[in-house]
Amino acid sequence: MSFWHNPSSAAKPYVDPTPLPDDIPKVQELGVTSGPLKSAAFFIGAYCKDYNDDFMLCKAENRDPAHCLKEGRRVTRCAQDLITKMRENCLAEFDKHWNCLEWNNQEYGACRKPERALNKCMFEKLGLVKTIPGTPEGQTPIHEVKNPILNGVQK
Amino acid sequence: MSAPYRQDMPPAGGFPQIKYKRNLPFRGPSGIVILGGVTAVCAYGFYRVGLGNLEKRELQREKAWSRIHLVPLLLAEGDRDAYRRQQAALAREKEIMKDVKGWEAGKSVYHDPRYRPADSIVVL
């Protein structure tokens, strides 16, 4: 027997084992934790820009989850594709960078060394460049500054 | 027997001069130099703080954009889950209310086609 609960004060977690309806094509969820996602974020932004923009425009049309399922699947497939490519081409650099992020509160500023190795590898193998939109004109982007002032806790 | 009379006199050549003059030898840099030095150190420090603040702003922009790039991905995954739960809830409602005539499962209480997320959920 089921009855209504306020989800925020429910004693049990909100689990519903019913699978997606069969008429929705299946897509494998990414299953990547926050560290690797943060490490790959700018490459996802560069590689999947078209799909991401399409999805967000669709969401701007209508917030209903049913409205943008197709675009959402494309976004997930694209990210899946990128993560696979990253793992195939730059596995060592990728692992090093996201492990560094995990150990440093996921702050990019503390992990520039492994990040540079990853960026270099990603550019050479996949041609993807990390760009931060909105960096002031004529200024070195923060991830390419050689001698930053804020360089983490002294060790 | 009494001692012969003798007048007490200053030592031969007179008393030595009493040192009454200030004796403060000049040591170390002058006050102006110290003041100037402290001002210079502070000025350099504040200059570095300013540079650091600019840098912090850029780091924040980097963090914001890393999250912005991940929004579509996470939203898509969340949407699929929300849709799955919605459909399950709809099927449940249909099953429960199948004997009630004129009941439309999943019908909004508002006369407005705009999407509203469910304000309560079923915890199984």
Side-chain angles (χ1 to χ4, degrees):
Chain A
M1 185 68 206
S2 57
F3 49 97
W4 290 100
H5 280 287
N6 182 359
S8 58
S9 61
K12 282 200 288 179
Y14 177 34
V15 176
D16 191 343
T18 323
L20 260 180
D22 287 331
D23 55 319
I24 306 293
K26 297 284 176 285
V27 58
Q28 208 198 339
E29 296 297 354
L30 202 53
V32 174
T33 51
S34 60
L37 274 184
K38 270 237 143 157
S39 171
F42 283 92
F43 301 119
I44 289 176
Y47 187 72
C48 305
K49 186 171 187 304
D50 297 343
Y51 298 110
N52 286 353
D53 287 354
D54 193 32
F55 178 72
M56 292 319 278
L57 284 172
C58 173
K59 289 301 283 187
E61 262 172 28
N62 192 344
R63 296 293 292 179
D64 189 355
H67 187 62
C68 300
L69 285 175
K70 194 167 118 197
E71 287 81 358
R73 281 195 296 277
R74 284 182 188 150
V75 166
T76 304
R77 285 204 193 97
C78 176
Q80 191 86 260
D81 188 28
L82 176 79
I83 296 283
T84 317
K85 274 190 184 169
M86 261 179 108
R87 286 177 55 80
E88 275 169 4
N89 291 298
C90 302
L91 181 60
E93 288 89 348
F94 184 37
D95 278 355
K96 236 183 218 151
H97 185 225
W98 72 256
N99 273 312
C100 176
L101 287 178
E102 295 260 317
W103 281 99
N104 286 290
N105 218 7
Q106 302 197 345
E107 282 167 19
Y108 286 108
C111 295
R112 292 298 180 207
K113 223 184 251 177
E115 187 189 322
R116 293 216 173 99
L118 178 66
N119 287 355
K120 188 162 170 279
C121 175
M122 288 301 279
F123 179 65
E124 282 168 2
K125 298 269 177 67
L126 301 175
L128 294 175
V129 184
K130 168 173 173 174
T131 45
I132 306 170
T135 306
E137 201 77 32
Q139 196 177 314
T140 324
I142 187 67
H143 62 286
E144 283 165 11
V145 174
K146 284 271 165 357
N147 246 335
I149 289 172
L150 308 171
N151 48 7
V153 181
Q154 289 180 350
K155 279 178 188 166
Chain B
M1 186 189 150
S2 63
Y5 174 78
R6 197 171 73 87
Q7 176 69 47
D8 201 8
M9 295 297 283
F15 286 107
Q17 254 198 340
I18 294 170
K19 290 183 191 158
Y20 65 92
K21 278 193 173 151
R22 278 159 69 94
N23 181 22
L24 298 171
F26 180 79
R27 287 191 301 156
S30 71
I32 283 287
V33 172
I34 291 174
L35 195 67
V38 168
T39 311
V41 167
C42 287
Y44 180 65
F46 275 109
Y47 169 69
R48 294 275 292 181
V49 168
L51 285 186
N53 285 344
L54 292 180
E55 208 166 84
K56 205 180 280 174
R57 196 188 297 164
E58 290 304 306
L59 282 173
Q60 258 159 7
R61 190 206 309 288
E62 186 184 26
K63 185 162 86 178
W65 273 100
S66 79
R67 290 175 180 183
I68 289 170
H69 286 320
L70 292 178
V71 162
L73 179 63
L74 301 175
L75 195 59
E77 186 170 340
D79 269 1
R80 270 192 295 278
D81 194 49
Y83 180 72
R84 180 178 68 80
R85 287 163 192 271
Q86 256 179 22
Q87 294 303 305
L90 205 63
R92 261 196 310 275
E93 189 180 338
K94 262 184 197 149
E95 175 62 25
I96 293 166
M97 303 302 284
K98 63 178 183 285
D99 300 329
V100 180
K101 244 189 195 167
W103 181 272
E104 286 176 58
K107 194 186 174 200
S108 170
V109 294
Y110 302 103
H111 291 289
D112 181 359
R114 188 167 68 87
Y115 170 73
R116 283 178 182 75
D119 49 357
S120 57
I121 54 166
V122 175
V123 176
L124 295 172

